[in-house]
Amino acid sequence: MSPNSNTPRIYLAGPDVFLPDAKAFADRKKKLCAEYGFEGVFPLDPEIKNASDLAPAELAATIARNNEALMRSCDLLIANCTPFRSVSMDPGTAYEVGFMRALGRPVLGYSNIAAPLAQRSQDYRASNNTVPHDGDFADTEIENFGLAENLMIDCAISASGSQLFTCKVAPGDELTDLAAFESCLKSAVELIEAMIIDQGTNT
């Protein structure tokens, strides 16, 4: 557990930070975390007091350092893997999944889009949409392992002892519905209990 608390801390990764009411939405997640015995930690929690005085690149670097420090202070991570501005998850969130996995801490995830990655990719290609700056083209392979996300994300979550929970939600609620997030919390309780039992067995 975190050195200064017996309450496990969960880093709440996802594109939630881009919502117009991001901090209010974070409070909803934190309240659910508390109901399951966790402390929710949101990427926007650290206040950058001189943000308006910083150059964009410097501000970006400060945010990155803050988020990495927050992750190091947490016991596990729950990622909102709902596709964001593409057929796949937010790239910053994907980085955070890898960061916590490299620290050897459990990662969990959910998506409010039920269709697997391969189907989303095939549907996108079939729609003949043209997106500026997209490096994809017609004869590149589409990853197809029947997974909800890229195999590195899905397998990281599976190796943590959980699964990537998916849920079909009402249109417009893809970034805000919390049913699948709550499934992650239930799984997190089981993971923490197993870790405590394992630590007790090895002492």
Side-chain angles (χ1 to χ4, degrees):
M1 303 304 153
S2 304
N4 299 320
S5 173
N6 291 324
T7 303
R9 287 162 55 88
I10 299 180
Y11 185 86
L12 304 173
D16 315 355
V17 296
F18 300 114
L19 292 171
D21 55 350
K23 291 195 175 183
F25 183 69
D27 287 341
R28 288 176 57 198
K29 281 191 161 182
K30 289 178 180 182
K31 183 177 178 181
L32 275 174
C33 286
E35 290 176 7
Y36 283 86
F38 298 103
E39 178 187 354
V41 177
F42 195 62
L44 298 181
D45 284 348
E47 182 181 356
I48 304 174
K49 295 181 179 179
N50 61 335
S52 61
D53 298 328
L54 299 178
E58 188 177 359
L59 178 58
T62 301
I63 293 169
R65 286 194 302 270
N66 285 349
N67 290 353
E68 289 187 355
L70 277 183
M71 285 188 281
R72 289 190 179 95
S73 76
C74 289
D75 301 287
L76 61 165
L77 172 148
I78 293 179
N80 180 354
C81 301
T82 302
F84 185 69
R85 295 176 181 158
S86 75
V87 299
S88 199
M89 65 188 294
D90 168 58
T93 305
Y95 171 84
E96 290 171 331
V97 168
F99 189 93
M100 284 292 273
R101 178 70 180 149
L103 291 178
R105 296 172 195 173
V107 294
L108 303 92
Y110 71 97
S111 173
N112 286 330
I113 300 291
L117 174 63
Q119 181 183 332
R120 301 196 307 267
S121 301
Q122 290 160 358
D123 289 347
Y124 168 74
R125 185 170 286 176
S127 72
N128 293 317
N129 282 326
T130 301
V131 178
H133 318 300
D134 184 0
D136 191 20
F137 50 93
D139 60 353
T140 54
E141 181 180 357
I142 290 176
E143 179 184 302
N144 188 2
F145 295 100
L147 301 176
E149 249 307 331
N150 175 275
L151 69 91
M152 295 301 292
I153 302 298
D154 232 300
C155 291
I157 292 169
S158 178
S160 292
S162 186
Q163 69 182 80
L164 204 164
F165 294 95
T166 61
C167 185
K168 185 176 181 179
V169 303
D173 291 345
E174 290 85 358
L175 289 180
T176 56
D177 190 283
L178 293 177
F181 173 72
E182 195 161 0
S183 294
C184 286
L185 287 171
K186 293 173 183 176
S187 182
V189 170
E190 296 174 358
L191 281 175
I192 291 293
E193 288 176 348
M195 290 168 60
I196 292 172
I197 291 171
D198 185 60
Q199 290 171 357
T201 302
N202 293 326
T203 54

